[in-house]
Amino acid sequence: MLVLTRKRGQAIKIGDDVVITVTEIRGKGSKSIVKLGITAPPGTKVLREEVEREVAQEMDLAKDPAFDISLLGDKVKEQ
Amino acid sequence: MLVQTKRFGQVEIDSSRVITFPNGLIGFPEFKEYVVLDFAGGNSVLRWLQSVQEPSLGFVTLSLYDVFPDYDPEFCPSDLADLGGASPDDLVLLSVVTVPPDIRKMTTNLQAPLVLNPATRLGKQVIVMSPEYTTRHYVFSTLESLMKRTG
């Protein structure tokens, strides 16, 4: 992994079109927070990394539900 | 073809109804083929998404256009291109429902809908870019009032 040191206001460029700027740094130790500004072409997917993990956890809760939900009828229609 | 399901036993479906998710679902990348089954209880907004390969892998889903007509998230264009380039109006959107033991607390995942292209039979679970949609949106009362209205 490439590790770069940046100060507030400094940026990193990825490829030709993506710029990530450190806009704010505050707090100390485990409570420290950094705010990043991201410029990227329209349509570029930018996600907090944990979102996909949260969705995967939710999918795991949703799979094979053990519900007894009479309003559904616990059968599928003849297809 | 016959599809084995843990919940409903063996179900005969036309093989043209299989939908391929080239990336699988989020958290389940290894299972790529699914069928959407209707429940017999006459509830048309809920569907059962069944893995063709794994009988125990199935999900309750709801039709987003029917339950949340105002649902209009921002999709990443590359995600839609992966489905074979349909216009958004031609896509079918399903949202996975989590049913806890207390069904009044059931939630649906508006942040990561399943986007299906009926023309290509391709599907993708997409994380939308609109921050107002969450993975755990309470949906029981919405479904309840919808069912009262439609009988």
Side-chain angles (χ1 to χ4, degrees):
Chain A
M1 181 164 64
L2 171 68
V3 179
L4 299 171
T5 304
R6 303 276 68 196
K7 293 178 177 165
R8 190 178 51 176
Q10 292 185 322
I12 293 166
K13 199 167 171 192
I14 300 174
D16 289 332
D17 303 315
V18 178
V19 179
I20 300 172
T21 308
V22 178
T23 60
E24 189 183 330
I25 305 165
R26 73 180 133 93
K28 284 214 167 108
S30 63
K31 289 190 175 160
S32 58
I33 281 174
V34 52
K35 276 196 180 175
L36 303 173
I38 296 151
T39 339
T44 305
K45 198 188 288 188
V46 178
L47 289 175
R48 291 180 174 84
E49 187 269 338
E50 68 273 20
V51 170
E52 197 163 292
R53 214 173 334 127
E54 285 165 13
V55 171
Q57 281 167 1
E58 195 57 33
M59 290 294 286
D60 200 55
L61 288 175
K63 71 155 195 237
D64 190 24
F67 64 98
D68 171 23
I69 191 168
S70 56
L71 48 93
L72 295 183
D74 207 6
K75 272 196 302 201
V76 282
K77 249 183 218 166
E78 287 294 315
Q79 302 295 316
Chain B
M1 63 186 278
L2 285 174
V3 177
Q4 307 296 334
T5 81
K6 178 181 162 193
R7 191 156 187 104
F8 305 107
Q10 190 166 277
V11 181
E12 168 79 40
I13 60 132
D14 193 302
S15 56
S16 67
R17 291 183 42 186
V18 173
I19 295 161
T20 303
F21 289 73
N23 304 323
L25 301 181
I26 296 173
F28 302 93
E30 63 275 43
F31 302 110
K32 301 184 193 301
E33 295 193 327
Y34 289 84
V35 284
V36 179
L37 305 173
D38 295 319
F39 286 102
N43 186 300
S44 61
V45 301
L46 295 168
R47 316 246 197 289
W48 180 259
L49 184 79
Q50 174 66 47
S51 162
V52 172
Q53 294 128 297
E54 174 50 57
S56 69
L57 189 60
F59 300 89
V60 179
T61 67
L62 56 79
S63 160
L64 278 163
Y65 289 136
D66 292 324
V67 182
F68 298 102
D70 298 332
Y71 183 73
D72 186 21
E74 190 187 347
F75 290 108
C76 180
S78 66
D79 285 332
L80 298 188
D82 287 347
L83 295 169
S87 97
D89 291 345
D90 298 331
L91 299 171
V92 173
L93 294 181
L94 299 178
S95 173
V96 176
V97 179
T98 304
V99 191
D102 176 0
I103 72 162
R104 304 193 73 85
K105 292 186 177 151
M106 69 201 269
T107 56
T108 197
N109 188 341
L110 298 182
Q111 194 175 21
L114 310 175
V115 187
L116 314 181
N117 182 349
T120 58
R121 310 305 298 171
L122 288 173
K124 185 169 185 179
Q125 186 170 26
V126 165
I127 297 178
V128 300
M129 295 193 287
S130 318
E132 67 268 35
Y133 296 118
T134 68
T135 56
R136 314 208 73 193
H137 183 92
Y138 285 99
V139 75
F140 184 83
S141 58
T142 310
L143 288 178
E144 202 176 37
S145 58
L146 201 66
M147 271 177 264
K148 273 182 197 143
R149 220 179 312 145
T150 58

